[in-house]
Structures are given as C-alpha cells and as structure tokens.
Amino acid sequence: MLSEEQVAAYDRDGFVVVPDFLPLRRCNRLKARANELVAAWEPSAAKTVFTTNEQVRESNREFLESGAATWCFFEEEAFGDDGELIQEKALSINKIGHAQHDLDPVFKEIVYDAGLRDVASDLGLTDMLALQSMYIFKQPSIGGEVGCHQDATFLYTDPITVTGFWIAIEDATLENGCLWAEPGGHRGPLRQLFKRNWPDPADADGTVFDELDDTPLPAPPTDVHAPGNTSMVPLEVAAGTLVVLHGLLPHWSGPNRSEFSRHAYSLHCISAAADYPAWNWLQRPVDLPLKPL
Ligand code: FE2
C-alpha cells in the first residue's frame, strides 16, 4: 500500500499522508451511515435542561461508558442559554464514538476491510488491535477546536504503541479546521497521562491528568493563514486521504468557523503485545473484546 518514501516519511515525521486511500463512494457511504445514526439519536430529555456543570459531569460518564458503545456527543457550542439546541440536531453533533467499528456493519467494513491492515503492516505494525474510533463532524460554524495533544496521553500502552488512522471523509482545509502536526514531534517525550480515578470504583466516573514531562507542546498557530511561531504544519487533504499518526506526535485542529463541515473518521489501534493498563479511560467489557485490524 505504501511506497518506500511514505514509510520513510512516517519514520522521519511521525505521520504520513496517503492520498486516495478510501474511494469517494465509500466515504459517502460512511457519511450517510453517520447521518442515519445521528437522525436516530435521542438525546436524554434531562440533558437539555442540565446546567453547564452537570452537563460536563454527565458527559464524562457517557464518555467513559462509550468505549463499548456507539454514542453521539454534542458540540460544546450546540446549546443556547435556555438549554435547547441552537441549530438542528444534525448540525449539533461533535462526534460519534467509540466502538461503532465493532457494532455497526458499515463502520466495520471500513476498519477491517479497506486496507488499513496493509498500511499498518507496511509501517511495521503487524499486530494492531482496533481499540477506539470516532466519526468526527467538525460542524459548520460551531465545530470545536481539539487542543494540541499526543494520542498516547489518552490511550496508553507500555510500551507506547497507539497509532492513529485518520481518514478525511470530506475535504479538510485551513478554513474548516484541518489537522496540524509537528514534523518529528514524535521523538519528544510523553507530556501527560489521562487516567480514570483508580482504584476507587466510587470515583470511576472521574478522570485526572498526571503530569509526566513539562516540555511544552507546540503552540497552535495564532492565525491559520498567518501561523506565526508554530512548529506545526497544516495537513490540508482531500476527501479519501488517510493520515497515519504516531502516538507521540503532537497534533491540533482549530475550530470550524466556515460554512462547510469537515467530516473525518479516526481509528486508534494498539499492539496486541503491549500492556494496556486498567486505568485507561477506555475499557472494553469481556463480551466485546478487541479485534485484530
Ligand atoms: Fe488525536
């Protein structure tokens, strides 16, 4: 699947861009399925009248349980002061996560049958398990920023093996919040760990950050058209492009203030041989084991 140059780019930069990975008809099929899941999604009645603080707490519990579910998460800016959606539901969802690749036939097809295994294998990643996936909408006008981070903070294994497979379902541009990444940044240290409060089960709906290293993550661009002093570069890519991201690579995406959505599907895999600590936020029940890519 990958050329020698692409394999070399991944080793050097910590990411590789693979154009034309997913045919547009498959992108469109996945988009249609995501839209169907949102149309069928009934947000809990309580959620619309929760205060912000309660919403955050509730979201956290939903988040922690979503490792084994197909859950729709709202954009932070989706609700007005009255607790009601500002725009229609279809334009208010931030993402669908995090186990649809094992629960939904259309998502399954993309993860297990579109060539990701071969790409991983070309990069020397031969025993990947499909841990977590997200269908990301990055909605017009309100699509939220994703702060600069390393994926190994959120999906940790010993040794670090988490690898991101990010597929543009729509064109990603400077205007609609494309990915930015720091070439070579995967050789830097892991800064933080995101953990469930552990081992107290009473705290199981809480999470904490452990600080590991105070090397700063790269600053986001001050303006995507005049990025200023950032070490990150924009990854403007066409629909169907795959970007593979090393788990230590710092990356960021800005808010979407344009009139165009920026749909993407992101899968995170880990090595079957690595240790996956029980304090990771994402835990699968025994009846939904991880499957090889
Ligand atoms: Fe990420």
Side-chain angles (χ1 to χ4, degrees):
M1 294 290 283
L2 300 183
S3 65
E4 273 178 38
E5 290 74 22
Q6 286 173 316
V7 174
Y10 183 77
D11 289 339
R12 180 186 67 233
D13 298 332
F15 64 89
V16 61
V17 176
V18 186
D20 301 319
F21 171 76
L22 196 65
L24 284 186
R25 67 181 159 75
R26 296 191 84 165
C27 291
N28 289 333
R29 187 163 144 75
L30 197 68
K31 190 196 299 190
R33 182 60 188 143
N35 287 332
E36 276 176 18
L37 291 173
V38 169
W41 181 252
E42 292 295 340
S44 68
K47 190 175 181 85
T48 57
V49 296
F50 271 169
T51 68
T52 306
N53 279 345
E54 282 167 328
Q55 263 181 30
V56 168
R57 193 153 48 95
E58 180 72 10
S59 298
N60 205 26
R61 189 164 68 241
E62 291 165 351
F63 174 70
L64 288 175
E65 290 172 1
S66 68
T70 302
W71 200 277
C72 294
F73 296 88
F74 285 93
E75 291 282 4
E76 251 185 314
E77 298 176 23
F79 295 93
D81 292 339
D82 59 358
E84 300 292 335
L85 288 177
I86 295 170
Q87 42 191 14
E88 60 179 302
K89 184 177 62 173
L91 293 174
S92 301
I93 302 293
N94 171 289
K95 65 177 177 181
I96 303 172
H98 290 96
Q100 59 267 30
H101 57 282
D102 284 330
L103 299 172
D104 185 275
V106 180
F107 281 88
K108 258 185 210 174
E109 259 181 45
I110 302 297
V111 166
Y112 297 108
D113 189 31
L116 288 176
R117 183 191 310 112
D118 296 332
V119 170
S121 168
D122 286 352
L123 296 172
L125 308 168
T126 53
D127 69 343
M128 293 270 102
L129 298 173
L131 176 60
Q132 180 251 39
S133 74
M134 298 180 278
Y135 189 93
I136 302 160
F137 291 87
K138 195 75 101 168
Q139 301 282 6
S141 305
I142 61 167
E145 173 183 6
V146 177
C148 190
H149 67 279
Q150 299 166 295
D151 289 337
T153 291
F154 297 97
L155 299 166
Y156 182 80
T157 61
D158 182 15
I160 290 167
T161 59
V162 66
T163 306
F165 298 85
W166 183 99
I167 302 169
I169 302 300
E170 297 178 322
D171 295 349
T173 66
L174 291 176
E175 281 72 29
N176 68 4
C178 69
L179 281 176
W180 290 62
E182 182 184 46
H186 63 305
R187 283 188 284 272
L190 181 61
R191 281 36 168 224
Q192 287 185 312
L193 286 178
F194 180 73
K195 293 178 161 183
R196 279 185 191 240
N197 287 339
W198 194 263
D200 183 355
D203 286 339
D205 66 347
T207 51
V208 291
F209 281 99
D210 273 6
E211 302 297 327
L212 298 182
D213 190 294
D214 60 6
T215 307
L217 287 167
T222 44
D223 173 335
V224 293
H225 295 287
N229 195 25
T230 183
S231 49
M232 292 190 288
V233 297
L235 306 179
E236 287 191 284
V237 297
T241 302
L242 166 69
V243 183
V244 187
L245 302 147
H246 189 283
L248 284 172
L249 182 75
H251 56 287
W252 172 86
S253 74
N256 181 6
R257 301 299 179 204
S258 81
E259 59 187 303
F260 303 104
S261 55
R262 195 227 64 187
H263 291 199
Y265 184 49
S266 168
L267 169 75
H268 291 99
C269 294
I270 55 173
S271 161
D275 179 51
Y276 186 75
W279 48 253
N280 271 300
W281 72 266
L282 189 155
Q283 296 296 329
R284 283 287 191 93
V286 284
D287 61 350
L288 192 64
L290 298 181
K291 295 200 305 191
L293 187 60

